[in-house]
Structure formats: C-alpha cells, structure tokens
Amino acid sequence: MDTDTDDKVGCYHNRSLRFFYEKSSKNISDHWRNRDYVIVTLGMAVCFIVIFSNLLVIGAILKNRRFHFPIYYLLGNLAVADLFSGVSYLHLMFHTGPWTIKLTKQRWFVRQGLIDTSLTASVLNLLAVAVERHQTIFNMQLHSKMSARRVSVIIVFIWLVAILMGLVPTMGWHCLCDLDNCSTMAPLYSRSYLVFWAVLNLLTFSIMVAVYTRIFVYVRHKSRQMSQHTSGARLRETVLSLMKTVSMILGCFVLCWTPGLVILLLDGLGCDSCQVLKYEKYFLVLAECNSLVNPVIYSFRDRDMRRTFKEILCFLCRRRKDRQGSSGVHFNTVEHENFKSRVAEPMDGSNGTPLIRSEDAGTSET
C-alpha cells in the first residue's frame, strides 16, 4: 500500500505516485481540463480503429490460403503486436490525466510495461521479417522454405523477449532508491534504463535499414540480369512488390517511433534544456498512429489482402441477404403464390414471349 513514509533509509518504496511526479517536476492535474478530454477522446478513437483494423489483418491471413507462408505469418504476428499496442494504449487512456494520480506504483509499472512490451514485439517482428527477406531474396525466391515449426519458435521467442523487456523496470531497474536518477517523462523509470532502451531500439532500426538497403541494391543488380527472361521478370516484379510493402512498413515504423525514442534518449541523458515534456504527448500520438498505418499499407499494396478484407467485411451483409432469400421461398403468402401462377400462365410462347432467357439461347440451339 502506498503511503508517505520510507520503508528503509534511502528508498521510497512506500511513497505515493504523486511524490515521484513532484520530484521529477512533471505536473499532473487533479481535475479534468479541456485538453485532457480531447487527448483521451481522440486516443480512444484511434485505439478502437487500431484494434479493429489489425483484427481484420489477422483474419485475412488466417482465411486466405495464399497468405499461409512464413513472411505472412511474421507479418500476422506484427499485426498481433499492433493489436496489443492498441490494447496497451487503450489501457493508458483509462489511466492517464487526472486518473494517473490514483494509480499505485505497481499499476503504473503495468501501464508502462504494456507499452514497452508492444514496442519490443514490433521491433523484433520487423527484425525477423528483415532476416527472412534477406535469406529469401538472395536466393531469388518469393517465399522461404522455413518450416512452420521454426516460424512458431521465432514467434514464441519474440514474445518472451518482449514480455521480459516490459518487466525489467518492475524487477529492479527503477529509481525508487535513487531519486536523482529518476526520469522526467517516466518518473519511476531510471534514466539509465531509458538510455539503454532507446539506444537498443535505435540500433535495431539502423540494422534493419542497412539490411533492406543491401537487399534493394542486390535486387536492382539482379533484376537487370533477369529482365531478358519473361519468367524471371515476373518473379522479379512479384519479389519487388512484396519488398516494397515490407519496406514501407519498416519505413513508417521508423518515422513514427524514432522521434519518441530520441526524446526518451535525451531525457535519459538528463537534457534539461530539451523541454521533453513539451513534445511528449505529440510523439506518443505519432507512435500510436503507427499501429494504424500497417493495415492501410496492406490495403493499398496487396490486391489479395484488399480482396480478403472486402470478403470479411461483406460476410455479414451476404449472410443477411441469404437469410432473406431463403425466407422468401418458405414463407410466401397464398396471395403471392396466386399472383406468381397468374404471371406464369402466358409464358408458354403463345404471346411471343420466349421461355428461354436470351443469354441461354445460344446454348440451347446446338
């Protein structure tokens, strides 16, 4: 239970959340302001769209057998990470603003840990996609021959590491016993942890960009040799199309998350003149929007994915129409049946009305 007393000399495990926010000079209001209402309303709207759109991607990959390949399994796992990100931000929206002050330290760590886990899962998924594309493209194949078991092991490993990274601050890498080392943006996090986390992710971004740059240089060189062969040209175009899709996903991820990671790094380095709190909310919204971008990229870049989206969205409409059509056969009234019989009587050719539809006439003349 959080109190205003120290549990031992030099540590503040029993102090309330307000104590750490005041020490870090991060203002939290006790009442709702117009700004808080706007942030929470827009944030929740984006979260619901993120959750729905990524559920659509997951459903499309499960439904369409053309997506049952390692690259799409990894992209599907990226959609799961984005879905988890939407849930994490939705949880954040219910525990932000004036609600923040009511949190215990344990619940605050859970709130932050969910976001850390979702980002780590997304980064590791993109790294796995980069490695898979590197291995596949250099063999000039569209899909790798990786077994489903190996893909499952990779996915499980990704989530284990992501969960571990989310739990690291809770397990001891915090500033409850070192107030001078507390972060400004995340008042219970140690500055050293923020530096470690930001540098690790930025380094991973750099590695992925380098891998994709090498792939594009190779594909461009190889395509010139294959351009004279029709079959080779078709494979090249298909490979390039998929490469552009995953590269756009990576590019949007880097653009959306790099500003937030840079500002976390500056906060971890203790840059007092950087005004990190001034930009924190904007970069958080930008990072949240990244989880919405991927389904949009799938829709514009992949025709099969777009068609599968339409099939899923129209499923309920078709089902409703089928029910209405079947009900018309079994529940016709007597008047309706008499009307149908009167209309059908002259359709015997006596008045020149054909019995066979014009589109069927060609087949009946043979």
Side-chain angles (χ1 to χ4, degrees), residues 217-228:
V217 171
Y218 176 79
V219 169
R220 186 177 179 181
H221 172 72
K222 198 72 175 177
S223 62
R224 293 174 181 174
Q225 301 176 0
M226 300 173 61
S227 59
Q228 299 177 353

Side-chain angles (χ1 to χ4, degrees), residues 9-282:
V9 178
C11 287
Y12 303 88
H13 291 284
N14 290 336
R15 293 291 183 132
S16 64
L17 201 62
R18 181 188 292 273
F19 171 80
F20 292 94
Y21 270 72
E22 290 175 351
K23 285 291 182 181
S24 297
S25 302
K26 185 172 185 179
N27 180 41
I28 48 176
S29 176
D30 291 330
H31 61 279
W32 285 91
R33 300 164 294 184
N34 292 334
R35 177 172 172 266
D36 297 322
Y37 283 117
V38 171
I39 291 174
V40 172
T41 302
L42 290 178
M44 290 180 65
V46 172
C47 288
F48 283 121
I49 297 173
V50 166
I51 292 172
F52 173 76
S53 59
N54 283 285
L55 280 174
L56 199 61
V57 173
I58 296 168
I61 292 175
L62 292 175
K63 180 180 185 297
N64 196 330
R65 297 181 65 86
R66 292 189 178 186
F67 301 140
H68 292 183
F69 293 98
I71 179 63
Y72 286 105
Y73 292 147
L74 293 175
L75 291 176
N77 196 43
L78 178 62
V80 174
D82 287 336
L83 174 65
F84 186 78
S85 176
V87 174
S88 301
Y89 280 109
L90 186 62
H91 180 268
L92 175 64
M93 289 300 105
F94 282 107
H95 299 85
T96 191
W99 286 325
T100 304
I101 204 65
K102 300 178 181 180
L103 296 176
T104 63
K105 291 189 297 296
Q106 288 74 21
R107 292 173 65 187
W108 186 91
F109 276 122
V110 170
R111 189 189 75 172
Q112 301 302 123
L114 290 174
I115 298 175
D116 295 348
T117 299
S118 64
L119 172 61
T120 305
S122 297
V123 171
L124 292 178
N125 266 294
L126 286 171
L127 182 60
V129 169
V131 173
E132 191 274 346
R133 286 293 89 191
H134 185 275
Q135 177 186 356
T136 304
I137 298 299
F138 273 74
N139 292 324
M140 287 312 294
Q141 299 172 342
L142 179 59
H143 298 294
S144 71
K145 298 179 180 179
M146 191 185 307
S147 64
R149 181 179 179 181
R150 180 172 296 183
V151 175
S152 301
V153 170
I154 292 173
I155 291 174
V156 171
F157 175 78
I158 286 171
W159 283 103
L160 288 177
V161 174
I163 293 171
L164 178 63
M165 288 298 295
L167 291 175
V168 165
T170 312
M171 294 187 295
W173 204 343
H174 49 64
C175 65
L176 300 186
C177 294
D178 187 10
L179 288 185
D180 295 333
N181 195 32
C182 283
S183 160
T184 302
M185 292 174 58
L188 271 65
Y189 274 8
S190 170
R191 292 184 186 274
S192 58
Y193 172 73
L194 290 187
V195 172
F196 163 77
W197 199 66
V199 169
L200 183 63
N201 284 287
L202 290 172
L203 182 62
T204 307
F205 289 177
S206 302
I207 292 173
M208 287 188 289
V209 170
V211 169
Y212 277 102
T213 302
R214 185 168 186 265
I215 291 174
F216 269 116
V217 171
Y218 176 79
V219 169
R220 186 177 179 181
H221 172 72
K222 198 72 175 177
S223 62
R224 293 174 181 174
Q225 301 176 0
M226 300 173 61
S227 59
Q228 299 177 353
H229 306 284
T230 305
S231 59
R234 289 177 180 174
L235 176 62
R236 179 199 62 185
E237 292 299 325
T238 307
V239 168
L240 249 146
S241 178
L242 186 54
M243 271 299 304
K244 288 179 181 178
T245 301
V246 295
S247 298
M248 288 175 65
I249 292 171
L250 172 63
C252 290
F253 187 86
V254 172
L255 289 175
C256 290
W257 274 102
T258 299
L261 290 175
V262 169
I263 203 171
L264 277 176
L265 180 60
L266 293 175
D267 184 21
L269 294 174
C271 181
D272 296 328
S273 61
C274 296
Q275 297 182 333
V276 293
L277 294 179
K278 182 179 179 181
Y279 305 101
E280 175 192 13
K281 297 293 183 183
Y282 301 105

Side-chain angles (χ1 to χ4, degrees), residues 283-299:
F283 290 161
L284 182 64
V285 172
L286 180 62
E288 181 183 358
C289 288
N290 175 76
S291 299
L292 181 61
V293 169
N294 292 344
V296 176
I297 294 175
Y298 294 140
S299 299

